[in-house]
Amino acid sequence: MRVDHTPLGFIGLGVMGEPMCANLVRKSEHPVHVADLDPAPVARIAELGGQPHHSVAEVAQAAEIVFLSLPSIVQVEQVCLGPDGIVQAGGKVHTVVDMSTSDVARTRQLAETLLGHGILLIDAPVARMREAARLGTLMITVGATRQNYDKVLPYLSCMGSDVLLCGEIGCGQVVKIMNNMVVFMTVHALAEAITIGRRAGVDGTLLMDALSQGSADSFALRNPGKKALAAETFPEKAFPTEYAIKDISLALELARQGEVHAASATLTHDLLQRTRAAGYVKEYYPVMVKLIEQARG
């Protein structure tokens, strides 16, 4: 794939970011400069050939295109504009690709601010699960012009098998947020279905298997439905309740801005909040089923 030696940067080596970065290092054949608050994943990426650094500023001084995989727009803004961030570092970065799931309005505002410093922002959040991040088969929804999309497509293709141009800056975030909203709402429905089914005498695993063979089949049914709800397994090192609340809150904010009464999404948001209040903040978000199981009509 190599057509030049453009130095790349990657900041944020969490559950998704580390395997994404590993694929970028393995497949791009470009130097990849990396940083994270946790030195352990930085060391693991270095073993694959990545260039380890101790700070965002060091990455910004070495790279021209920097990819971000961070918890929210708060961290994205801090990395871009904060003390010792990309702008303040005064390096040679000309493009930032935000692969986090971020607030749409603040993403667009950040793009304007960075443009004033001569830096292009592209939003490219990812969908699908950790295994897809490891295999490089993520879906990546991109907000950019066609020209700018084409410039980063070779790098994004190292991490995703489906890289979709969704419109102007922020549109990648809109599509990703709607994707997550629909998944959370579907898991909510499955949690109700499995609870009703069990109380009526049907085994949960059998129910999920049966539904997957009918018109109710979906990615959510075959993954969180079977692997979490039916198995009654809600590990902490998966997509936690607090992350689900953040993403569905972003969806409801878009609904508010568009003057849409999103009743179903609001119900799922409320259930997730009650799940967090019950103490299930770090567990995989299908743990919401416990609140349904505890309720009595």
Side-chain angles (χ1 to χ4, degrees):
M1 182 200 107
R2 176 145 68 184
V3 295
D4 57 34
H5 296 277
T6 302
L8 309 176
F10 203 106
I11 297 168
L13 303 177
V15 170
M16 297 293 281
E18 182 179 353
M20 289 160 58
C21 182
N23 279 313
L24 189 63
V25 170
R26 291 191 190 103
K27 300 176 185 179
S28 73
E29 300 184 5
H30 287 248
V32 182
H33 302 266
V34 301
D36 190 87
L37 294 175
D38 183 353
V42 174
R44 289 192 292 267
I45 293 295
E47 290 177 1
L48 300 176
Q51 306 298 310
H53 294 280
H54 298 291
S55 68
V56 171
E58 288 184 9
V59 172
Q61 289 164 359
E64 294 182 22
I65 302 173
V66 176
F67 298 84
L68 309 180
S69 181
L70 300 167
S72 75
I73 189 65
V74 174
Q75 290 79 21
V76 171
E77 290 171 339
Q78 183 176 4
V79 163
C80 290
L81 305 176
D84 300 317
I86 291 171
V87 169
Q88 193 178 85
K92 50 188 178 181
V93 176
H94 58 72
T95 302
V96 172
V97 183
D98 179 19
M99 306 191 74
S100 323
T101 302
S102 295
D103 177 272
V104 176
R106 289 170 69 174
T107 292
R108 289 171 173 162
Q109 180 57 56
L110 178 61
E112 288 187 21
T113 302
L114 287 176
L115 196 59
H117 295 279
I119 298 173
L120 171 71
L121 178 68
I122 293 173
D123 58 303
V126 304
R128 297 178 184 155
M129 303 178 79
R130 285 184 295 172
E131 183 69 1
R134 186 182 70 81
L135 296 173
T137 56
L138 292 165
M139 180 179 79
I140 305 175
T141 53
V142 183
T145 65
R146 169 63 67 175
Q147 181 181 15
N148 291 327
Y149 165 83
D150 288 341
K151 288 178 181 177
V152 298
L153 179 59
Y155 311 119
L156 295 177
S157 295
C158 295
M159 298 176 272
S161 55
D162 297 281
V163 185
L164 311 177
L165 178 59
C166 299
E168 63 181 17
I169 183 72
C171 288
Q173 296 293 353
V174 173
V175 175
K176 166 60 190 298
I177 291 166
M178 291 300 99
N179 176 83
N180 282 18
M181 182 187 79
V182 171
V183 171
F184 301 150
M185 291 163 60
T186 303
V187 172
H188 184 174
L190 291 170
E192 291 186 352
I194 202 169
T195 302
I196 294 167
R198 282 169 172 160
R199 290 190 184 173
V202 176
D203 176 76
T205 298
L206 185 148
L207 178 62
M208 292 295 104
D209 285 342
L211 293 180
S212 71
Q213 296 178 55
S215 55
D217 187 31
S218 69
F219 174 89
L221 192 156
R222 285 176 272 111
N223 287 276
K226 288 188 174 184
K227 297 173 184 177
L229 293 174
E232 299 183 85
T233 301
F234 312 101
E236 290 194 5
K237 291 188 177 181
F239 197 87
T241 300
E242 60 181 346
Y243 281 19
I245 291 171
K246 182 207 80 171
D247 286 3
I248 201 164
S249 296
L250 293 175
L252 289 175
E253 175 58 20
L254 286 174
R256 186 194 66 78
Q257 293 171 7
E259 299 183 351
V260 176
H261 178 54
S264 297
T266 299
L267 287 173
T268 300
H269 174 264
D270 292 347
L271 177 59
L272 286 165
Q273 286 193 310
R274 288 191 285 114
T275 303
R276 177 175 61 186
Y280 303 113
V281 63
K282 298 294 183 183
E283 285 86 353
Y284 187 29
Y285 75 89
V287 73
M288 68 171 79
V289 70
K290 292 186 179 294
L291 275 293
I292 296 171
E293 292 169 344
Q294 294 164 10
R296 290 293 185 270

